[in-house]
Amino acid sequence: SIRSVLLGPPGAGKGTQALNLKEQFGVCHLSTGDMLREIAKQDSPLGQRVARTLKAGELVTDSLVIEIIEANLQSDECRLGFMLDGFPRNLTQAAKLDEYLEKQWYQRRVRACPRLL
C-alpha cells in the first residue's frame, strides 16, 4: 500500500509522476485542483459555491477541502493506497490528514484483531 504526498510547485511534474505510479501500483491519485474544478462544473449548491470561489480567485476553505479528500480516501479506488497532489497545503490540513489517517489505521486494526486492542 502506498500513502504519499506529492510536493512541488505547479508544473513540476507531480501529475505526470502520479499517473505513472497509479498505473504501476494501482493506487488512486487525488489532485485537489482537479477535484475542485470537477465539482465546480456540477449544477449543485456545492458546485456553484466552489465555482464562485474559484472564479473570484479565492482559496476554498480548509474544511471543504478536507471533507472532499476524506470522502475520496474512503472510495474503493483508494483501498490499495493513494497519492495526494496539492494536499495538504498548510498546517491545518496536515494536522487533519494526520488525524484522519490515524483514525483509519486504528479502525482497521480493530476490525482485523478486535481482541488484541
Side-chain angles (χ1 to χ4, degrees):
S1 168
I2 292 177
R3 294 178 175 187
S4 67
V5 176
L6 304 174
L7 301 172
K14 299 179 304 290
T16 300
Q17 293 305 317
L19 292 175
N20 294 334
L21 293 168
K22 178 180 179 176
E23 187 176 306
Q24 184 174 357
F25 296 106
V27 297
C28 70
H29 169 224
L30 300 178
S31 167
T32 52
D34 292 348
M35 289 187 291
L36 290 170
R37 283 186 290 277
E38 194 59 38
I39 290 169
K41 293 178 189 176
Q42 298 172 5
D43 187 23
S44 67
L46 175 61
Q48 293 169 4
R49 193 170 91 210
V50 170
R52 279 193 307 273
T53 301
L54 296 178
K55 186 174 181 180
E58 298 172 355
L59 293 175
V60 177
T61 64
D62 286 343
S63 60
L64 179 57
V65 174
I66 291 163
E67 182 181 329
I68 292 166
I69 290 291
E70 287 182 357
N72 279 274
L73 287 175
Q74 294 175 17
S75 71
D76 284 341
E77 182 184 6
C78 292
R79 68 181 163 72
L80 296 177
F82 57 83
M83 294 168 292
L84 299 175
D85 177 355
F87 181 87
R89 285 206 183 274
N90 58 45
L91 291 176
T92 299
Q93 291 179 2
K96 290 295 186 181
L97 176 62
D98 191 46
E99 288 173 20
Y100 174 81
L101 294 175
E102 186 173 320
K103 179 179 156 189
Q104 292 303 309
W105 177 86
Y106 181 77
Q107 288 176 350
R108 278 195 298 278
R109 298 289 294 171
V110 168
R111 283 192 301 268
C113 305
R115 295 190 326 207
L116 295 177
L117 296 174

